[in-house]
Amino acid sequence: MTTESAMEKAGNRALGPDRAGRIWIAANLATTGIVLLLMMLFGVLMRMAQGGWITLYPDLFYQFLTVHGTGMVGIAALGGISVMWYFAARHLRLHSAVLGANFVLFLIGVVMILGGVFVGQFSGAWTFLYPLPAVSGGAWGVQGAFWFLFGLLVVGVGLLVVCLEIGRGLIATHGGIARALGWPYLFGMAGAVAPPPVVVATAMSVLVTTLALIGGAIILVLSIVNLLVPSFVLDPLFAKNVIYFFGHTIINATIYMAVTAVYALLPDYTGRPWKTSRPFLAAWMGSTLMVLVIFPHHLLMDFAMPTWTMVFAQVLSYTNSFPVLIVTGLGALAIVHRSGIRWDMASGLLFLSMFGWMAGVVPAVIDATIVINSVMHNTLWVPGHFHFYLLLGLLPMLMGFMYWITRARDSDRPDLPDRSDRWIAAIYAASGLGFVTMFLYSGAQSVPRRWAEHLAEWMAWDRTASVFALLVLGAATWFVLRFLMRLPRFLAAD
Ligand code: HEM
Ligand SMILES: [Cu+2]
């Protein structure tokens, strides 16, 4: 019996999202799938342009880069939050209208962002580093930058509202965020109970995302004021700190959100509970605190930063990353080992995500090492590490969840054991690995990141990467089409 069904017996479990919640989750995930493919296409085009196979004028390349980065981070957040909402709603009573409001704000924000980039020509990347939006050297005007920044703000407000609603639910059901994180139990307080893993991960994600979004909103508003009133200036180093506090935290949180699928579903598949142990709670407590303060690893080359912040960033990057990975990775292995687990697309993709996340953190931590960063900074090593855990960690979590919610129910014709699905999953994993390896290898050869034009000597790697990227895009298209075609099952269930 799983922990969750035990809780159900005890009667203290909401039964998952209500009808409206399911509709909004379906809308979010359908959007996630389609936007994902579109953004991948932009990525393929950029990589092919770097390899000299197609011509993208640099202004268009940087617009693609901006849209790809912003779009991918935004869609990772939308997908992650939908997965987390689904599982959180098994434990909390949530107001589904909030998820709908976020969906609408998201779409409005995306239209503004696309207008800012493709009409207003803004191409200052998703990190909108101050004072770039206002100082473009004629590449774009105030309008383009304004709609981009404002659109980002609208998307952020939508996500913030969702976080506040889940936070409210956690407080109402568990009596506070600290309790939902299991801190009283961790410290052995009398009468404290251990919250289920899904609740712990949700509490952590909601807390750090809320702080990140508030930071993001502040710096976006300040940047907009600077744009409209140029005499209002910021300290660029302060601005960079806030931007990376926001950017680092939000993209990391998307994985912490989506990992709820692993915690909830592997026990269902194996019939073994995922118990909340003290090491588990301690690891999540460490990450909750540390993920918020390690962002200076993005500023290791900023000589004006105080040295101690850099030393902290390096040390805490190491100590932040590994504990949660270890409790999750080992936990998953322990649950799966000799369990007679039924391997299907959902469980297979979730298991792949464990590999992608764990392996991808290694090049990340290497880059957070000061002596290495002084060589690797601004090379393709950087997109190499984050594509690793996003493409092979986060995305398989989202895709696995998409397969799972659209699986055959009792009333459906059962899914045939589909060999084409498995082949496609193998192609996705292998070509994804090839694609990120080309980024990492190029980075190790000091090929700079964010360059529209590459030297002839680098192009062989760019071209190899382009072939892998096309295969990834093809496999992802298959996953998304499968999901969209089976979506009515999810809406009809229950
Ligand atoms: C087929 C899949 C993908 C391809 C072909 C692709 C390609 C690219 C390329 C060529 C770049 C620019 C690298 C450079 O600096 O020269 C890039 C940057 C980036 N990609 Fe991807 N990507 C893919 C998937 C993803 C996914 C799944 C995510 C996140 C969920 C993602 C997030 C990003 C981000 C955040 C950047 C940084 C943008 C910047 O430097 O401002 N990508 N990608
Ligand atoms: Cu970071």
Side-chain angles (χ1 to χ4, degrees), residues 173-323:
T173 310
H174 291 266
I177 299 293
R179 280 174 196 266
L181 285 165
W183 290 358
Y185 178 81
L186 175 62
F187 295 116
M189 283 166 62
V193 285
V198 166
V199 169
V200 177
T202 302
M204 183 273 201
S205 305
V206 162
L207 180 64
V208 302
T209 307
T210 301
L211 295 172
L213 289 168
I214 292 172
I218 291 172
I219 197 63
L220 280 168
V221 170
L222 291 175
S223 296
I224 290 173
V225 175
N226 164 258
L227 190 64
L228 302 178
V229 188
S231 60
F232 174 87
V233 292
L234 300 175
D235 173 17
L237 193 61
F238 161 78
K240 189 170 181 182
N241 271 277
V242 183
I243 286 173
Y244 277 97
F245 168 72
F246 154 71
H248 161 88
T249 311
I250 188 119
I251 191 62
N252 277 272
T254 63
I255 300 189
Y256 296 129
M257 294 173 186
V259 82
T260 52
V262 175
Y263 292 155
L265 295 184
L266 284 187
D268 272 7
Y269 270 92
T270 55
R272 292 176 175 176
W274 194 312
K275 292 214 187 70
T276 312
S277 62
R278 286 209 164 79
F280 180 92
L281 291 174
W284 276 89
M285 182 179 85
S287 273
T288 307
L289 303 176
M290 286 186 282
V291 77
L292 294 170
V293 294
I294 60 177
F295 67 87
H297 61 206
H298 296 270
L299 290 90
L300 293 178
M301 293 304 108
D302 290 80
F303 58 85
M305 284 287 281
T307 308
W308 65 267
T309 58
M310 304 310 188
V311 175
F312 264 88
Q314 173 177 325
V315 173
L316 295 183
S317 293
Y318 284 72
T319 50
N320 169 64
S321 307
F322 292 117

Side-chain angles (χ1 to χ4, degrees), residues 402-433:
M402 290 181 185
Y403 267 96
W404 180 77
I405 56 168
T406 57
R407 71 195 178 285
R409 308 300 206 279
D410 297 341
S411 53
D412 299 314
R413 222 161 11 107
D415 285 332
L416 298 172
D418 199 325
R419 287 173 61 195
S420 42
D421 259 343
R422 289 174 185 217
W423 274 107
I424 302 287
I427 290 173
Y428 180 87
S431 50
L433 198 58

